[in-house]
C-alpha cells in the first residue's frame, strides 16, 4: 500500500466528515478505523478512487458509532442521509484542520501532536516514537486534545500565525524514531502554502528549506555536531537552497515583512556565502535588527550578539551580550565562543564546560565538552 498516498488523503477525508456534521473527535476516530480497513484490504484489492473509498468507509464507521451510542441519539437523524457511494467531492478543507489543530486552548505539545495525527496522517505509535514517549502517553495527549476541540466550528478565518508556530515546532523537533519530523513539517507547510496566500507562510517554507538544505552536513560520521563555519558546503542541497531563495524573494517583494521572512533572509545569507569567511555578517546584523524589532525576542538578541561579534569584532559581540539576561539558553555558550575569538582561552574553556552542563541535548553537550577539552589541552601544551 502507498503509505504516502494514504497520509496525503487523510486530512481531506477528515474534513469531509466534519463538513457533513461529525464532531472532530468522532470523525477522527472513524477515519482511523477506515485506515485500518485500508491496510487490511488495499494490498489485495486497491480501490479505483482511494479518497472516495476512505470517505465512504469512515462515514459508515461514524454512523455505526452514532447508532451504538444512546447518549448521542440526536445524531440518528443523519442516519438516513448517508450519501450514495461515489467519487468524493474535490474540495480541500485542509486549512480548517490546521486552524483546528492550532486552537488557542491547546498546549503547544498537544497542538503539534494533533497536527501530526489529523493533518500529517501519522499514527499514534509513529508520533510517540518521534517524541520518544510511550505510545499510551501520546494516545492520552491526543485524546485530551481531541476532547478540547470537539464541537468547535469555524465561522471566521483562523489565526495563521498560530498555525505557523505549530508547524515551526514540528520542524524543530527534527528527526527521531521512524518519522522525519523536519521533512514532515516541510511537507505540511507546502500543503498550507498551497491553501493560503500569505507571505509569512511562504517565509516559513523558505526558512525550512534553507535550514533543511544543510542537514546532511550538520553531523559528522560519529554523530557529533559540526558547527556552521566548519560544515562541508559541498554537501548542502543546492536545489533546496535555490527553491528557498526563490520563495523568499517572492514573499519579500510583497513588502509585508514578518519574522519568518526575516529568519529566512538570515538563512539565505548563510547559504549564499561560498565559504564561512565570505559570510555577509553586516547584512545579517541588519536582518537581526529587523527581527528584534518584529519580535522583541531575547533569543533573537542573543543570536544577534554572535553576528555583531563576527561583523564588528568579539569585543563588540561581548558588549551586546552583556545587555542580555545571563540565564538565557545558550548564553554561556555564546560567551565562551566570543571570549575564545577575543583570545581569552582560559575563560572560554571554563565557560564551555559550564555551558555543557546546561545543554538540553546530548549532542550539544558533547560538542561543548569537546570545545572545553580542546582549549584545556592547548593550555597544558603551552606549559
Amino acid at each position: 500500500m502507498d503509505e504516502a498516498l494514504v497520509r496525503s488523503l487523510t486530512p481531506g477525508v477528515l474534513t469531509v466528515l466534519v463538513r457533513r456534521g461529525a464532531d472532530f473527535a468522532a470523525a477522527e476516530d472513524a477515519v482511523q478505523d477506515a485506515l485500518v480497513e485500508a491496510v487490511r484490504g488495499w494490498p489485495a484489492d486497491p480501490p479505483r478512487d482511494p479518497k472516495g473509498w476512505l470517505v465512504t468507509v469512515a462515514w459508515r464507521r461514524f454512523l455505526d458509532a452514532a447508532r451504538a451510542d444512546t447518549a448521542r441519539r440526536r445524531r440518528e437523524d443523519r442516519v438516513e442521509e448517508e450519501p450514495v457511494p461515489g467519487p468524493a467531492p474535490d474540495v480541500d478543507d485542509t486549512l480548517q484542520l490546521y486552524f483546528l489543530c492550532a486552537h488557542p486552548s491547546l498546549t503547544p505539545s498537544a497542538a503539534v501532536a494533533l497536527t501530526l495525527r489529523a493533518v500529517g496522517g501519522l499514527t499514534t505509535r509513529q508520533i510517540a516514537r518521534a517524541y520518544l514517549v510511550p505510545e499510551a502517553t501520546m494516545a492520552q495527549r491526543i485524546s485530551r486534545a481531541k476532547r478540547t476541540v470537539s464541537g468547535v466550528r469555524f465561522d471566521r478565518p483562523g489565526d495563521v500565525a498560530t498555525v505557523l508556530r505549530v508547524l515551526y515546532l514540528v520542524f524543530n523537533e527534527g528527526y527521531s524514531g521512524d518519522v522525519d519530523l523536519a521533512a514532515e513539517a516541510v511537507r505540511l507547510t507546502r500543503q498550507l502554502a498551497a491553501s493560503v496566500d500569505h507571505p509569512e507562510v511562504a517565509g516559513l517554507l523558505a526558512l525550512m528549506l534553507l535550514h533543511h538544505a544543510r542537514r546532511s552536513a550538520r553531523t559528522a560520521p560519529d554523530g557529533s555536531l559540526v558547527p556552521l563555519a566548519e560544515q562541508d558546503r559541498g554537501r548542502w542541497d543546492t536545489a533546496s537552497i535555490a527553491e528557498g531563495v526563490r520563495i523568499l524573494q517572492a514573499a519579500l517583494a510583497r513588502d509585508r515583512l514578518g519574522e519568518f521572512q526575516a529568519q529566512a533572509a538570515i538563512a539565505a545569507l548563510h547559504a549564499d556565502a561560498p565559504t564561512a569567511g565570505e559570510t555577509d555578517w553586516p547584512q545579517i546584523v541588519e536582518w537581526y535588527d529587523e527581527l528584534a524589532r518584529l519580535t522583541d525576542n531575547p533569543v533573537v538578541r542573543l543570536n544577534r550578539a554572535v553576528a555583531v561579534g563576527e561583523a564588528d569584532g568579539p569585543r563588540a559581540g561581548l558588549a551586546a551580550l552583556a545587555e542580555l539576561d545571563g540565564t538565557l539558553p545558550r548564553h554561556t555558550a555564546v560567551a565562551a565562543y566570543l571570549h575564545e575569538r577575543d583570545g581569552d582561552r582560559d575563560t572560554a574553556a571554563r565557560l564551555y564546560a559550564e555551558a555543557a552542563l546546561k545543554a538540553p541535548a546530548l549532542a550539544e553537550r558533547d560538542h561543548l565538552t569537546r570545545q572545553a577539552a580542546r582549549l584545556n589541552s592547548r593550555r597544558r601544551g603551552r606549559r
Side-chain angles (χ1 to χ4, degrees):
M1 188 173 69
D2 188 342
E3 182 180 345
L5 172 64
V6 173
R7 284 170 55 188
S8 68
L9 293 176
T10 297
V13 175
L14 181 53
T15 51
V16 169
L17 267 65
V18 172
R19 192 169 61 245
R20 289 181 180 176
D23 70 66
F24 181 85
E28 212 274 338
D29 288 339
V31 171
Q32 292 301 316
D33 288 343
L35 292 175
V36 171
E37 291 298 316
V39 169
R40 292 173 180 167
W42 283 16
D45 184 22
R48 285 180 295 180
D49 178 12
K51 182 178 179 181
W53 189 97
L54 287 170
V55 169
T56 299
V57 174
W59 184 248
R60 286 173 177 167
R61 293 294 181 274
F62 165 71
L63 293 178
D64 288 343
R67 292 189 186 101
D69 191 348
T70 56
R72 299 174 183 175
R73 194 172 300 276
R74 286 178 296 178
R75 292 183 183 165
E76 294 292 341
D77 293 339
R78 290 198 290 270
V79 171
E80 302 302 325
E81 299 176 9
E82 179 178 353
V84 177
D90 188 19
V91 178
D92 187 2
D93 291 332
T94 304
L95 186 57
Q96 280 194 334
L97 288 186
Y98 279 100
F99 292 128
L100 184 63
C101 295
H103 196 272
S105 61
L106 295 174
T107 64
S109 61
V112 168
L114 197 58
T115 298
L116 290 172
R117 171 74 178 253
V119 185
L122 302 186
T123 66
T124 302
R125 177 175 297 180
Q126 287 174 317
I127 300 170
R129 286 178 178 174
Y131 277 86
L132 303 178
V133 300
E135 185 176 351
T137 300
M138 184 56 67
Q140 291 175 353
R141 184 180 300 175
I142 293 173
S143 294
R144 285 195 297 268
K146 285 162 58 178
R147 287 195 298 270
T148 298
V149 300
S150 181
V152 172
R153 292 290 182 266
F154 290 97
D155 54 5
R156 58 183 177 181
D159 182 6
V160 172
T162 303
V163 174
L164 294 181
R165 295 207 176 281
V166 170
L167 289 172
Y168 192 49
L169 287 172
V170 175
F171 182 79
N172 285 333
E173 290 298 328
Y175 175 85
S176 59
D178 59 353
V179 178
D180 184 340
L181 291 182
E184 183 65 15
V186 173
R187 184 181 76 85
L188 294 175
T189 307
R190 284 190 190 279
Q191 194 178 64
L192 180 63
S195 302
V196 61
D197 181 22
H198 194 293
E200 272 293 81
V201 176
L204 179 59
L205 179 57
L207 175 63
M208 289 180 177
L209 289 169
L210 290 163
H211 278 307
H212 206 47
R214 304 200 301 260
R215 175 173 173 169
S216 64
R218 283 199 188 105
T219 55
D222 62 0
S224 59
L225 291 179
V226 180
L228 177 61
E230 300 172 19
Q231 289 177 14
D232 178 0
R233 299 184 178 220
R235 298 178 62 193
W236 289 0
D237 183 347
T238 55
S240 291
I241 291 172
E243 182 185 7
V245 169
R246 185 172 63 253
I247 292 171
L248 172 63
Q249 289 175 338
L252 291 175
R254 300 177 66 174
D255 199 23
R256 291 169 54 195
L257 184 63
E259 61 177 292
F260 289 119
Q261 294 170 73
Q263 287 189 57
I266 293 169
L269 286 168
H270 283 298
D272 187 55
T275 67
E278 296 174 85
T279 303
D280 188 348
W281 286 107
Q283 192 172 352
I284 287 177
V285 172
E286 292 179 7
W287 276 111
Y288 271 121
D289 288 339
E290 287 286 349
L291 191 55
R293 179 182 60 80
L294 290 166
T295 67
D296 196 28
N297 186 325
V299 175
V300 169
R301 297 188 181 280
L302 183 70
N303 292 331
R304 178 185 178 277
V306 177
V308 168
E310 299 289 354
D312 301 327
R315 300 245 172 134
L318 286 168
L321 187 65
E323 300 175 1
L324 304 176
D325 184 350
T327 63
L328 278 172
R330 294 185 59 249
H331 186 284
T332 307
V334 170
Y337 173 75
L338 291 172
H339 275 290
E340 181 182 2
R341 288 204 61 237
D342 194 38
D344 187 354
R345 293 182 173 85
D346 291 345
T347 300
R350 175 178 57 79
L351 290 174
Y352 275 131
E354 289 181 15
L357 296 175
K358 304 174 184 177
L362 179 61
E364 183 179 352
R365 185 186 70 191
D366 289 346
H367 171 72
L368 293 169
T369 300
R370 283 192 295 271
Q371 297 296 90
R374 173 178 57 81
L375 293 179
N376 285 326
S377 65
R378 288 183 180 177
R379 185 173 59 183
R380 286 192 295 269
R382 290 197 305 270
R383 293 174 182 173

